[in-house]
Amino acid sequence: MKRMYSIVLLILFSFGVGACSKNMQQKESPKVEKPRVIITTDINTTRYYKADEYAIVYMLWYADFVQIESIITCRPSDSSSDRLSDLLNLYQKDYENVSFQFHENRFPSPKDLASLVCRDKEKAAIKIIQAARQKTEQPLWILMLGNMKVVKEALLLAPDIENKIRLISIGTGIKSPDEDVCGNLNWNGWGRTEIYNRFKSLWWIENDWAYKGISEGEVSNEVMNKVGQCGALGKIMLNNTQPTLVLDKAIPFMFLLDPTIHPNHPEFGGWTGNYIKPFPVERPNYWVDRAETKKWNYKNPCSSWELAEQVYRERKFSVQNRKNEMYASLVDRLTQLYSKTKGTKY
């Protein structure tokens, strides 16, 4: 009888340990939710569409990493060609190529991506509001490649979304010293200024000058050769007279992809530069690219403009110093994505 009792206890103990172990494994492996993103782009402007074009291609290579809520084009096409549609057609060629690994890694279909494109400004503002108000703990990331007017309209229509969105913009603040003298409005004009003046609790990274460092200097032959071998999208990236990849406007995507960055603490730095919270009391959720010199006046840059060239170099260097890490990650991603070995996943 005692022996039978011992056997029963042993069975119950084993079952309990197994159940606990299973529960522990489940707790230790929580499901990782993809960042929810809206991209704004002025890809159809003649002067700037190349930079936006390359940024969109970069994003398409990582489209499985994020949950794209919408792609908003800020300007109508100024030619017979709609560049965003052209890029999605190239994406479709790579997606449908059975030698590549888009299907294996559950990339969004070209049809699904095309359905997310919004070209109407009023509808775009509504899309931002609706996405921001979704009942989820995930914030809505708005990655600014284009102007900020549509985001301004969304915030003015629905001020309650201020604490539900996270904004990453490039070149939206004061112009760099290689562009203009201090004091002139940037290309974003009053769209940016109204947001800055009215919404002081907004979570916002404003990468003003550092982003330019990503495209300065030559890119290694290894990277250029790899990109050129990567389907229809890769060929577009090499359609450039410079021995480099123009990825200035891909900086907002890189922030989300960077494994070294802490999304809740941009001040720790990463691929996209070093950041500082210059006004922690007045603007507790606002960061800008950091200057190494302590004498730079973030509140009134014109008062310390004699340091502008130095600050410009320091900010760019923080990106240049890490861009090889980004390129190594890109080469690894492209090697896996364009592998001809079935079942390759990452």
Side-chain angles (χ1 to χ4, degrees):
M1 186 69 180
K2 288 184 178 180
R3 183 180 178 187
M4 180 62 70
Y5 180 72
S6 299
I7 292 173
V8 171
L9 284 178
L10 182 61
I11 292 172
L12 290 174
F13 177 76
S14 299
F15 177 78
V17 169
C20 289
S21 177
K22 185 176 181 180
N23 288 335
M24 288 177 67
Q25 288 176 356
Q26 289 175 343
K27 289 180 181 179
E28 290 173 0
S29 304
K31 183 180 178 181
V32 178
E33 294 188 31
K34 296 180 179 181
R36 301 166 55 237
V37 303
I38 284 181
I39 301 106
T40 73
T41 171
D42 51 8
I43 192 170
N44 285 321
T45 56
T46 303
R47 183 179 176 188
Y48 297 111
Y49 82 79
K50 284 291 184 184
D52 283 57
E53 185 175 296
Y54 300 145
I56 294 293
V57 171
Y58 183 88
M59 180 272 292
L60 290 172
W61 280 333
Y62 289 93
D64 63 321
F65 183 82
V66 296
Q67 179 184 326
I68 301 172
E69 301 280 347
S70 185
I71 304 173
I72 296 170
T73 56
C74 301
R75 300 175 189 267
S77 177
D78 58 3
S79 68
S80 60
S81 175
D82 185 325
R83 295 304 297 158
L84 183 55
S85 294
D86 292 344
L87 291 183
L88 292 180
N89 288 336
L90 295 176
Y91 174 78
Q92 182 172 356
K93 289 183 179 181
D94 288 359
Y95 181 88
E96 293 178 349
N97 190 320
V98 295
S99 297
F100 304 150
Q101 307 303 312
F102 288 84
H103 283 281
E104 291 285 329
N105 292 286
R106 298 184 179 181
F107 273 66
S109 72
K111 184 177 180 181
D112 287 343
L113 285 178
S115 72
L116 297 173
V117 176
C118 183
R119 295 179 172 83
D120 182 275
K121 288 191 291 184
E122 291 183 6
K123 290 181 180 178
I126 297 301
K127 276 186 174 288
I128 291 174
I129 294 169
Q130 290 175 340
R133 285 176 171 171
Q134 286 182 21
K135 293 183 179 179
T136 173
E137 293 183 1
Q138 283 277 84
L140 176 67
W141 295 86
I142 302 181
L143 311 181
M144 304 294 306
L145 279 62
N147 69 62
M148 302 184 73
K149 291 181 180 178
V150 67
V151 177
K152 178 197 75 174
E153 293 302 323
L155 282 165
L156 292 178
L157 285 171
D160 61 285
I161 69 171
E162 177 181 6
N163 296 319
K164 299 174 183 178
I165 63 176
R166 293 190 173 190
L167 207 61
I168 303 180
S169 65
I170 55 173
T172 48
I174 193 168
K175 287 183 177 180
S176 57
D178 66 326
E179 290 183 285
D180 210 339
V181 297
C182 185
N184 289 335
L185 288 174
N186 60 58
W187 56 272
N188 250 290
W190 293 108
R192 180 266 181 192
T193 303
E194 286 192 59
I195 293 175
Y196 185 83
N197 289 339
R198 294 190 183 206
F199 300 96
K200 296 185 178 181
S201 295
L202 181 66
W203 199 105
W204 184 1
I205 292 178
E206 194 162 36
N207 190 315
D208 266 351
W209 298 351
Y211 74 97
K212 294 187 177 185
I214 201 70
S215 298
E216 290 193 358
E218 295 187 4
V219 178
S220 71
N221 289 333
E222 178 193 4
V223 175
M224 298 297 281
N225 290 338
K226 171 55 68 176
V227 169
Q229 296 166 5
C230 292
L233 292 175
K235 290 178 181 177
I236 278 289
M237 292 290 278
L238 291 191
N239 186 18
N240 182 18
T241 57
Q242 302 296 322
T244 189
L245 298 176
V246 183
L247 291 176
D248 298 11
K249 287 199 169 185
I251 285 288
F253 302 124
M254 291 179 192
F255 180 87
L256 292 181
L257 300 170
D258 181 2
T260 69
I261 198 74
H262 193 305
N264 294 320
H265 294 283
E267 63 272 15
F268 294 165
W271 293 350
T272 62
N274 297 324
Y275 297 100
I276 186 173
K277 191 183 290 187
F279 319 115
V281 176
E282 180 184 354
R283 300 179 187 276
N285 302 310
Y286 174 79
W287 292 265
V288 70
D289 38 336
R290 190 180 78 220
E292 294 302 317
T293 175
K294 305 299 182 184
K295 296 180 180 180
W296 182 247
N297 189 327
Y298 292 95
K299 196 172 190 68
N300 182 18
C302 292
S303 69
S304 56
W305 198 249
E306 70 279 1
L307 298 171
E309 291 286 350
Q310 176 186 343
V311 171
Y312 185 40
R313 290 192 301 270
E314 291 172 351
R315 286 175 163 177
K316 288 192 298 181
F317 181 75
S318 68
V319 174
Q320 292 169 331
N321 196 38
R322 296 186 180 102
K323 70 178 184 178
N324 286 339
E325 297 175 26
M326 182 277 294
Y327 280 126
S329 177
L330 177 61
V331 167
D332 184 54
R333 156 65 49 134
L334 295 179
T335 298
Q336 295 168 332
L337 184 57
Y338 288 89
S339 167
K340 296 183 179 182
T341 303
K342 279 291 182 183
T344 303
K345 294 186 178 182
Y346 39 81

